[in-house]
Amino acid sequence: MIGPSRRSWTRAAPFGGRRSSESSRRPGAQHPPGRHLPPSLSVRTLAAQVFLLQVLIVLVLIAAAVAALVVQGRYEAEQGAKNRCLAVAEGFAHPPGTAAALMSPDPTARLQAAAEAARRQSGVDFITVLSKDGVRLTDPRPELIGTKAEGVARAAAGETFTETFHGEPTDAVRAVVPVRDGDGRVVGMVSAGIQFDTLGQVLYDQVPMMLVVAAGALSLATVGTALVSSRLRRQTHGLGPAEMTRMFEHHDAVLHAVREGVLIVGGDGRLMLANDEARRLLDLPEGADQRPVTELGLSPRLTRLLGSGEPVSDELLPAGERLLAVNTRLTEPFGGAPGVVATFRDTTELRALSGQAEEARGRLTLLYEAGVRIGTTLDIRRTAEELAEVAVPRMADFVTVELLDSVLRGEEPTGAVRRMRRTALSGRQSGHPLQPVGDLIQFVVADTPMVAALHRGKAVRVADLNSAHDWRAHDPEGAQQALEYGIHSLITVSLRARGVVLGMVNFWRGEGSPPFEEEDVAVAEELVARAAVAIDNARRYAREHAMAVTLQRSLLPRDVPEQDALEIAWRYLPAQAGVGGDWFDVIPLPGFRVALVVGDIVGHGLHAAVTMGRLRTAVLNFASLDIAPDELLGHLDEMVTMLDTRTANGDSDDAPVTGATCLYAIYDPVGGRCALSRAGHLAPAVVDPDGRVTFPDLPLSPPLGVGGHPFEVGELDLPEGSRLVLFTDGLIEDRGSDIDEGLHRLRSAVVGADRTPEETCRAVMESMMHGRPSDDVALLVARTRLLDPSRVATWDVPSDVMAVSRIRTEVSRRLDDWGLEESSFTTELILSELLTNAIRYGAPPVRVRLLLGRTLVLEVSDGSNTSPRLRRAATTDEGGRGLFLVSQFADRWGTRYAATGKVIWAEQILGRTHEPDPTALIDELAW
């Protein structure tokens, strides 16, 4: 039975009568079970809850006030201590006698007594005089004299400062002031301070007063709260909030909201209460309250049952055209007045509703399964198949799904919705006449159910296809075959997402199944709506994935550039979840050197691919400056920090770049030297010509964007035929194994001599990659070559312009030996200009190096860091046109900086004579 609790019935008359409490007050009155305390003392009462809440608030406020006073007192004490220490330190440091004493042979003897006297007069805990090296010359504790103080370097540099010091010999607030001589030079320092114990004692003296004030405030607040709660308890009679609300809500619910008839009959046989449902079921007359049940026109059996007070359960009794299930119980054993409570349920409606509920339960189960089974993948065709499989056979005997071709390709849906491709078909029987998957479905006739569903945007139900002539008009022959097969009912629904048509879904019922009803239309629309969201998500994913793959492929190198220093092979595998940010690059540098780059961007998707492209472009640009690996990573780190700062300050939802890793290596084939620098990236594997594998211990810097740490360079000497294996962490890390296991497997895959880079890549992929990886994988293998020493010529040049002619002659002779007589004139001209500038404006040592590979490279180095620049000379200038001539006769030229000095290089392509621009040359010479 639904109604007030036992306590509510005893405290208020639910029929509108007077509350009777005399019986509970007389001697020997019985309390309901479970009641041991007066309601005023129960925590569940409203008065007690208000009292506890107010006390809690007062306690929190007092605690916060005390804490604030303590913090403020400590802060003021520290600030006052700093000011006092600074004044004392400056007063002792600034007199001229202090500087003179510090420069005397025995400063301790002259200053110890004065420092102690000043300490006692000023009230600080210590005054210490320090040498300019930080060694204590005086101190209150003599055993510390001669020891070195910590953290005074700023004062030694001439800065006055105060601080909170933590360390030996004690924690204190101190001020350090430099002592200067007459010339302003720092000759020592004076430190004055107050220990934390002294500050704490001052603060502790104030705590008792704070506690007394807090206790007084708490007492006053508690007394006031108790008075308020006492008045509230008298007004609410000790009831709790839930009981007060429930006492009235249950009464109204029983009268009006309960879908079960309720009658309460008093001990005298009169009707005390009848709710709305009881009046409807029993057809009670107006004014039935307080009338005897014998005068209400009830059936004799029901009248006897209510008058006798006999308890019954679910007894079926007729009441007019209804069959009621009746339950009766006595009220007196439960604390109420003598009487009977009867409840009634209309079993006729319940039986009808139970059948409807069973059907509704089946539809809800179908929709639940659809939510679980539809959209398990991001494949458009599979999602359409899942829709058809879920609906057969519980919803329909056959289901067909047609989608637009643009949707199947992952593109935005077009307006041409009358041409669709059958994508899925599911049926409980074979041999049906419906068109197979892959056929083009055209909606030509305007009045068919399919076209109507497309135009209306709602489902169209055809209960009997035999009488639907408009359906037959589209394909009379196919319609006749379907009818002969037994298909007789149809629901067609347009598949829409975001208001755009993606396709069409048709539900068919055949022989042995009832026609579709209106309730089936709502289920069909709900099924299609859920599938439409899943298909649209799959379409968007397919489009984004295709865009990301296209973008990533366009950003990654399509092929390695031509160069003679390294034999290159590479592999790239995208992650199973989609494209990511792993990347690599091979960049030819001047002097036949080659830069190798491998990087990893955090995350996956289009943002990671775009970020990868930005970083790769940045590396290409920085590499064109021909700078060292550590310097390049420093510039890249600054760029990542700038990008993250803009992302954090803007409204973009883009993920930060911080955490990206990169390894940058430069290989020089002249000496076989490789310089590497890495930002959070794994070290490469090195395979020597004999096939032995090592993982060199190279300096490791934090990932890009972290900042605060310099990048370092490690160097390797690689004999000819060595293999350098660069990779990203996706190659060696996965959820099933740690990094050590991955490195061990990589070592086993690349070990062995006489393997080409291509063979090495193939072996690594076959042994370590099984299926699509969980993370992107970038692998770059380079086998080293050395430039033939006979193709390298080097000359050390004295700082004398007269040596230019001799070096020019020797260079010309070497070109003749190499069979490059046609390049002699251009090379001599370039050499004369560069070498003359190096001798005149540079610094020793000056060196000339000539390299012969697929091109001819001339390098002139000197010890100066000043870089020349191309400019237009004025008419009054005697020189200034040399670099212009070099730029006209060389195919490429530039400058790179070494650890000491710089190198100016010029490159010429062999096999052709470079013809300068005659107009520009004449204009320049005309100046």
PDB file of all heavy atoms in Angstrom, residues 112 115-116 119-120 124-129 136-145 169 191-193 195:
ATOM      1  N   GLN A 112      85.631  41.633  14.956  1.00  0.00           N
ATOM      2  CA  GLN A 112      84.822  40.694  15.740  1.00  0.00           C
ATOM      3  C   GLN A 112      84.113  41.399  16.896  1.00  0.00           C
ATOM      4  O   GLN A 112      82.913  41.246  17.108  1.00  0.00           O
ATOM      5  CB  GLN A 112      85.715  39.552  16.254  1.00  0.00           C
ATOM      6  CG  GLN A 112      85.009  38.584  17.183  1.00  0.00           C
ATOM      7  CD  GLN A 112      83.954  37.755  16.474  1.00  0.00           C
ATOM      8  OE1 GLN A 112      83.915  37.717  15.257  1.00  0.00           O
ATOM      9  NE2 GLN A 112      83.098  37.132  17.233  1.00  0.00           N
ATOM     10  N   ALA A 115      81.437  43.850  15.670  1.00  0.00           N
ATOM     11  CA  ALA A 115      80.252  43.143  15.149  1.00  0.00           C
ATOM     12  C   ALA A 115      79.389  42.622  16.283  1.00  0.00           C
ATOM     13  O   ALA A 115      78.145  42.704  16.236  1.00  0.00           O
ATOM     14  CB  ALA A 115      80.690  42.002  14.242  1.00  0.00           C
ATOM     15  N   GLU A 116      80.010  42.095  17.362  1.00  0.00           N
ATOM     16  CA  GLU A 116      79.231  41.576  18.476  1.00  0.00           C
ATOM     17  C   GLU A 116      78.524  42.712  19.200  1.00  0.00           C
ATOM     18  O   GLU A 116      77.369  42.576  19.641  1.00  0.00           O
ATOM     19  CB  GLU A 116      80.150  40.813  19.435  1.00  0.00           C
ATOM     20  CG  GLU A 116      80.540  39.436  18.943  1.00  0.00           C
ATOM     21  CD  GLU A 116      79.305  38.582  18.739  1.00  0.00           C
ATOM     22  OE1 GLU A 116      78.621  38.252  19.716  1.00  0.00           O
ATOM     23  OE2 GLU A 116      78.995  38.283  17.569  1.00  0.00           O
ATOM     24  N   ARG A 119      75.598  43.726  17.160  1.00  0.00           N
ATOM     25  CA  ARG A 119      74.541  42.716  17.207  1.00  0.00           C
ATOM     26  C   ARG A 119      73.708  42.860  18.479  1.00  0.00           C
ATOM     27  O   ARG A 119      72.471  42.817  18.445  1.00  0.00           O
ATOM     28  CB  ARG A 119      75.152  41.319  17.134  1.00  0.00           C
ATOM     29  CG  ARG A 119      74.131  40.187  17.254  1.00  0.00           C
ATOM     30  CD  ARG A 119      74.793  38.829  17.259  1.00  0.00           C
ATOM     31  NE  ARG A 119      75.596  38.645  18.483  1.00  0.00           N
ATOM     32  CZ  ARG A 119      75.111  38.274  19.654  1.00  0.00           C
ATOM     33  NH1 ARG A 119      73.811  38.082  19.800  1.00  0.00           N
ATOM     34  NH2 ARG A 119      75.883  38.121  20.707  1.00  0.00           N
ATOM     35  N   ARG A 120      74.381  43.046  19.614  1.00  0.00           N
ATOM     36  CA  ARG A 120      73.641  43.145  20.875  1.00  0.00           C
ATOM     37  C   ARG A 120      72.794  44.425  20.917  1.00  0.00           C
ATOM     38  O   ARG A 120      71.685  44.435  21.440  1.00  0.00           O
ATOM     39  CB  ARG A 120      74.633  43.123  22.047  1.00  0.00           C
ATOM     40  CG  ARG A 120      75.252  41.730  22.276  1.00  0.00           C
ATOM     41  CD  ARG A 120      76.035  41.701  23.583  1.00  0.00           C
ATOM     42  NE  ARG A 120      77.204  42.568  23.535  1.00  0.00           N
ATOM     43  CZ  ARG A 120      78.405  42.171  23.143  1.00  0.00           C
ATOM     44  NH1 ARG A 120      78.603  40.917  22.758  1.00  0.00           N
ATOM     45  NH2 ARG A 120      79.430  43.000  23.127  1.00  0.00           N
ATOM     46  N   VAL A 124      69.485  41.839  16.550  1.00  0.00           N
ATOM     47  CA  VAL A 124      69.493  40.738  15.594  1.00  0.00           C
ATOM     48  C   VAL A 124      70.231  39.563  16.209  1.00  0.00           C
ATOM     49  O   VAL A 124      70.921  39.682  17.237  1.00  0.00           O
ATOM     50  CB  VAL A 124      70.157  41.161  14.263  1.00  0.00           C
ATOM     51  CG1 VAL A 124      69.363  42.266  13.625  1.00  0.00           C
ATOM     52  CG2 VAL A 124      71.601  41.605  14.487  1.00  0.00           C
ATOM     53  N   ASP A 125      70.121  38.388  15.583  1.00  0.00           N
ATOM     54  CA  ASP A 125      70.748  37.183  16.128  1.00  0.00           C
ATOM     55  C   ASP A 125      72.204  37.046  15.696  1.00  0.00           C
ATOM     56  O   ASP A 125      72.988  36.353  16.350  1.00  0.00           O
ATOM     57  CB  ASP A 125      69.962  35.942  15.693  1.00  0.00           C
ATOM     58  CG  ASP A 125      68.629  35.878  16.398  1.00  0.00           C
ATOM     59  OD1 ASP A 125      68.521  36.439  17.509  1.00  0.00           O
ATOM     60  OD2 ASP A 125      67.681  35.284  15.837  1.00  0.00           O
ATOM     61  N   PHE A 126      72.558  37.595  14.548  1.00  0.00           N
ATOM     62  CA  PHE A 126      73.961  37.487  14.153  1.00  0.00           C
ATOM     63  C   PHE A 126      74.309  38.628  13.194  1.00  0.00           C
ATOM     64  O   PHE A 126      73.439  39.108  12.444  1.00  0.00           O
ATOM     65  CB  PHE A 126      74.279  36.132  13.494  1.00  0.00           C
ATOM     66  CG  PHE A 126      73.539  35.876  12.230  1.00  0.00           C
ATOM     67  CD1 PHE A 126      74.023  36.316  10.998  1.00  0.00           C
ATOM     68  CD2 PHE A 126      72.329  35.180  12.240  1.00  0.00           C
ATOM     69  CE1 PHE A 126      73.336  36.054   9.843  1.00  0.00           C
ATOM     70  CE2 PHE A 126      71.644  34.926  11.074  1.00  0.00           C
ATOM     71  CZ  PHE A 126      72.165  35.369   9.871  1.00  0.00           C
ATOM     72  N   ILE A 127      75.583  39.089  13.277  1.00  0.00           N
ATOM     73  CA  ILE A 127      76.186  39.985  12.282  1.00  0.00           C
ATOM     74  C   ILE A 127      77.494  39.319  11.887  1.00  0.00           C
ATOM     75  O   ILE A 127      78.373  39.096  12.733  1.00  0.00           O
ATOM     76  CB  ILE A 127      76.445  41.392  12.826  1.00  0.00           C
ATOM     77  CG1 ILE A 127      75.109  42.080  13.178  1.00  0.00           C
ATOM     78  CG2 ILE A 127      77.224  42.224  11.811  1.00  0.00           C
ATOM     79  CD1 ILE A 127      75.292  43.465  13.784  1.00  0.00           C
ATOM     80  N   THR A 128      77.593  38.953  10.638  1.00  0.00           N
ATOM     81  CA  THR A 128      78.756  38.220  10.142  1.00  0.00           C
ATOM     82  C   THR A 128      79.418  39.037   9.046  1.00  0.00           C
ATOM     83  O   THR A 128      78.741  39.504   8.114  1.00  0.00           O
ATOM     84  CB  THR A 128      78.356  36.848   9.591  1.00  0.00           C
ATOM     85  OG1 THR A 128      77.703  36.128  10.627  1.00  0.00           O
ATOM     86  CG2 THR A 128      79.583  36.077   9.140  1.00  0.00           C
ATOM     87  N   VAL A 129      80.725  39.220   9.168  1.00  0.00           N
ATOM     88  CA  VAL A 129      81.497  39.906   8.134  1.00  0.00           C
ATOM     89  C   VAL A 129      82.164  38.828   7.289  1.00  0.00           C
ATOM     90  O   VAL A 129      82.790  37.902   7.827  1.00  0.00           O
ATOM     91  CB  VAL A 129      82.542  40.847   8.739  1.00  0.00           C
ATOM     92  CG1 VAL A 129      83.317  41.552   7.638  1.00  0.00           C
ATOM     93  CG2 VAL A 129      81.865  41.865   9.645  1.00  0.00           C
ATOM     94  N   ARG A 136      83.725  33.497   6.221  1.00  0.00           N
ATOM     95  CA  ARG A 136      83.347  34.233   7.433  1.00  0.00           C
ATOM     96  C   ARG A 136      84.604  34.760   8.142  1.00  0.00           C
ATOM     97  O   ARG A 136      85.506  33.990   8.492  1.00  0.00           O
ATOM     98  CB  ARG A 136      82.566  33.335   8.375  1.00  0.00           C
ATOM     99  CG  ARG A 136      81.195  32.908   7.837  1.00  0.00           C
ATOM    100  CD  ARG A 136      80.471  32.065   8.887  1.00  0.00           C
ATOM    101  NE  ARG A 136      79.114  31.706   8.436  1.00  0.00           N
ATOM    102  CZ  ARG A 136      78.840  30.620   7.744  1.00  0.00           C
ATOM    103  NH1 ARG A 136      79.832  29.809   7.380  1.00  0.00           N
ATOM    104  NH2 ARG A 136      77.607  30.357   7.378  1.00  0.00           N
ATOM    105  N   LEU A 137      84.627  36.081   8.398  1.00  0.00           N
ATOM    106  CA  LEU A 137      85.727  36.715   9.132  1.00  0.00           C
ATOM    107  C   LEU A 137      85.322  36.990  10.574  1.00  0.00           C
ATOM    108  O   LEU A 137      86.179  37.039  11.463  1.00  0.00           O
ATOM    109  CB  LEU A 137      86.137  38.023   8.442  1.00  0.00           C
ATOM    110  CG  LEU A 137      86.611  37.877   6.968  1.00  0.00           C
ATOM    111  CD1 LEU A 137      86.922  39.234   6.385  1.00  0.00           C
ATOM    112  CD2 LEU A 137      87.824  36.954   6.884  1.00  0.00           C
ATOM    113  N   THR A 138      84.018  37.202  10.818  1.00  0.00           N
ATOM    114  CA  THR A 138      83.499  37.331  12.186  1.00  0.00           C
ATOM    115  C   THR A 138      82.209  36.554  12.245  1.00  0.00           C
ATOM    116  O   THR A 138      81.504  36.400  11.224  1.00  0.00           O
ATOM    117  CB  THR A 138      83.228  38.805  12.546  1.00  0.00           C
ATOM    118  OG1 THR A 138      82.085  39.258  11.802  1.00  0.00           O
ATOM    119  CG2 THR A 138      84.423  39.684  12.265  1.00  0.00           C
ATOM    120  N   ASP A 139      81.814  36.113  13.452  1.00  0.00           N
ATOM    121  CA  ASP A 139      80.557  35.404  13.633  1.00  0.00           C
ATOM    122  C   ASP A 139      80.302  35.269  15.122  1.00  0.00           C
ATOM    123  O   ASP A 139      81.267  35.132  15.914  1.00  0.00           O
ATOM    124  CB  ASP A 139      80.603  34.013  12.988  1.00  0.00           C
ATOM    125  CG  ASP A 139      79.225  33.448  12.802  1.00  0.00           C
ATOM    126  OD1 ASP A 139      78.634  33.707  11.734  1.00  0.00           O
ATOM    127  OD2 ASP A 139      78.734  32.759  13.717  1.00  0.00           O
ATOM    128  N   PRO A 140      79.047  35.313  15.593  1.00  0.00           N
ATOM    129  CA  PRO A 140      78.765  35.099  17.013  1.00  0.00           C
ATOM    130  C   PRO A 140      79.252  33.739  17.499  1.00  0.00           C
ATOM    131  O   PRO A 140      79.513  33.566  18.691  1.00  0.00           O
ATOM    132  CB  PRO A 140      77.237  35.230  17.098  1.00  0.00           C
ATOM    133  CG  PRO A 140      76.870  36.064  15.919  1.00  0.00           C
ATOM    134  CD  PRO A 140      77.844  35.731  14.862  1.00  0.00           C
ATOM    135  N   ARG A 141      79.311  32.785  16.587  1.00  0.00           N
ATOM    136  CA  ARG A 141      79.835  31.455  16.947  1.00  0.00           C
ATOM    137  C   ARG A 141      81.257  31.360  16.419  1.00  0.00           C
ATOM    138  O   ARG A 141      81.476  31.210  15.215  1.00  0.00           O
ATOM    139  CB  ARG A 141      78.945  30.378  16.341  1.00  0.00           C
ATOM    140  CG  ARG A 141      77.531  30.388  16.935  1.00  0.00           C
ATOM    141  CD  ARG A 141      76.571  29.549  16.143  1.00  0.00           C
ATOM    142  NE  ARG A 141      77.025  28.182  16.035  1.00  0.00           N
ATOM    143  CZ  ARG A 141      76.363  27.235  15.345  1.00  0.00           C
ATOM    144  NH1 ARG A 141      75.241  27.562  14.718  1.00  0.00           N
ATOM    145  NH2 ARG A 141      76.826  26.009  15.289  1.00  0.00           N
ATOM    146  N   PRO A 142      82.260  31.471  17.267  1.00  0.00           N
ATOM    147  CA  PRO A 142      83.650  31.526  16.789  1.00  0.00           C
ATOM    148  C   PRO A 142      84.044  30.309  15.959  1.00  0.00           C
ATOM    149  O   PRO A 142      84.911  30.410  15.106  1.00  0.00           O
ATOM    150  CB  PRO A 142      84.455  31.612  18.097  1.00  0.00           C
ATOM    151  CG  PRO A 142      83.496  32.180  19.105  1.00  0.00           C
ATOM    152  CD  PRO A 142      82.149  31.674  18.745  1.00  0.00           C
ATOM    153  N   GLU A 143      83.430  29.152  16.239  1.00  0.00           N
ATOM    154  CA  GLU A 143      83.851  27.962  15.485  1.00  0.00           C
ATOM    155  C   GLU A 143      83.503  28.079  13.998  1.00  0.00           C
ATOM    156  O   GLU A 143      84.023  27.322  13.171  1.00  0.00           O
ATOM    157  CB  GLU A 143      83.182  26.707  16.061  1.00  0.00           C
ATOM    158  CG  GLU A 143      81.667  26.656  15.894  1.00  0.00           C
ATOM    159  CD  GLU A 143      80.957  27.325  17.048  1.00  0.00           C
ATOM    160  OE1 GLU A 143      81.644  28.051  17.849  1.00  0.00           O
ATOM    161  OE2 GLU A 143      79.738  27.135  17.178  1.00  0.00           O
ATOM    162  N   LEU A 144      82.603  29.003  13.623  1.00  0.00           N
ATOM    163  CA  LEU A 144      82.243  29.164  12.214  1.00  0.00           C
ATOM    164  C   LEU A 144      83.173  30.114  11.475  1.00  0.00           C
ATOM    165  O   LEU A 144      83.095  30.232  10.248  1.00  0.00           O
ATOM    166  CB  LEU A 144      80.802  29.678  12.086  1.00  0.00           C
ATOM    167  CG  LEU A 144      79.718  28.735  12.588  1.00  0.00           C
ATOM    168  CD1 LEU A 144      78.353  29.385  12.418  1.00  0.00           C
ATOM    169  CD2 LEU A 144      79.763  27.409  11.836  1.00  0.00           C
ATOM    170  N   ILE A 145      84.039  30.847  12.198  1.00  0.00           N
ATOM    171  CA  ILE A 145      84.957  31.778  11.538  1.00  0.00           C
ATOM    172  C   ILE A 145      85.935  30.963  10.687  1.00  0.00           C
ATOM    173  O   ILE A 145      86.519  29.983  11.145  1.00  0.00           O
ATOM    174  CB  ILE A 145      85.713  32.627  12.576  1.00  0.00           C
ATOM    175  CG1 ILE A 145      84.708  33.533  13.341  1.00  0.00           C
ATOM    176  CG2 ILE A 145      86.795  33.468  11.912  1.00  0.00           C
ATOM    177  CD1 ILE A 145      85.334  34.330  14.452  1.00  0.00           C
ATOM    178  N   PRO A 169      74.441  27.570   8.883  1.00  0.00           N
ATOM    179  CA  PRO A 169      74.313  26.818  10.149  1.00  0.00           C
ATOM    180  C   PRO A 169      72.895  26.825  10.716  1.00  0.00           C
ATOM    181  O   PRO A 169      72.600  26.049  11.601  1.00  0.00           O
ATOM    182  CB  PRO A 169      75.247  27.560  11.093  1.00  0.00           C
ATOM    183  CG  PRO A 169      75.213  28.972  10.579  1.00  0.00           C
ATOM    184  CD  PRO A 169      75.095  28.886   9.106  1.00  0.00           C
ATOM    185  N   SER A 191      76.630  40.336   6.591  1.00  0.00           N
ATOM    186  CA  SER A 191      75.364  39.617   6.650  1.00  0.00           C
ATOM    187  C   SER A 191      74.796  39.761   8.048  1.00  0.00           C
ATOM    188  O   SER A 191      75.502  39.490   9.030  1.00  0.00           O
ATOM    189  CB  SER A 191      75.581  38.142   6.309  1.00  0.00           C
ATOM    190  OG  SER A 191      74.385  37.423   6.518  1.00  0.00           O
ATOM    191  N   ALA A 192      73.526  40.199   8.142  1.00  0.00           N
ATOM    192  CA  ALA A 192      72.834  40.322   9.420  1.00  0.00           C
ATOM    193  C   ALA A 192      71.545  39.546   9.314  1.00  0.00           C
ATOM    194  O   ALA A 192      70.879  39.588   8.285  1.00  0.00           O
ATOM    195  CB  ALA A 192      72.561  41.791   9.755  1.00  0.00           C
ATOM    196  N   GLY A 193      71.169  38.830  10.392  1.00  0.00           N
ATOM    197  CA  GLY A 193      69.977  38.001  10.291  1.00  0.00           C
ATOM    198  C   GLY A 193      69.343  37.719  11.633  1.00  0.00           C
ATOM    199  O   GLY A 193      69.933  37.903  12.689  1.00  0.00           O
ATOM    200  N   GLN A 195      67.097  34.529  13.410  1.00  0.00           N
ATOM    201  CA  GLN A 195      66.783  33.119  13.237  1.00  0.00           C
ATOM    202  C   GLN A 195      65.267  32.885  13.265  1.00  0.00           C
ATOM    203  O   GLN A 195      64.519  33.638  13.882  1.00  0.00           O
ATOM    204  CB  GLN A 195      67.453  32.287  14.333  1.00  0.00           C
ATOM    205  CG  GLN A 195      68.981  32.371  14.315  1.00  0.00           C
ATOM    206  CD  GLN A 195      69.591  31.573  15.443  1.00  0.00           C
ATOM    207  OE1 GLN A 195      68.878  30.942  16.215  1.00  0.00           O
ATOM    208  NE2 GLN A 195      70.910  31.602  15.550  1.00  0.00           N
TER     209      GLN A 195
END
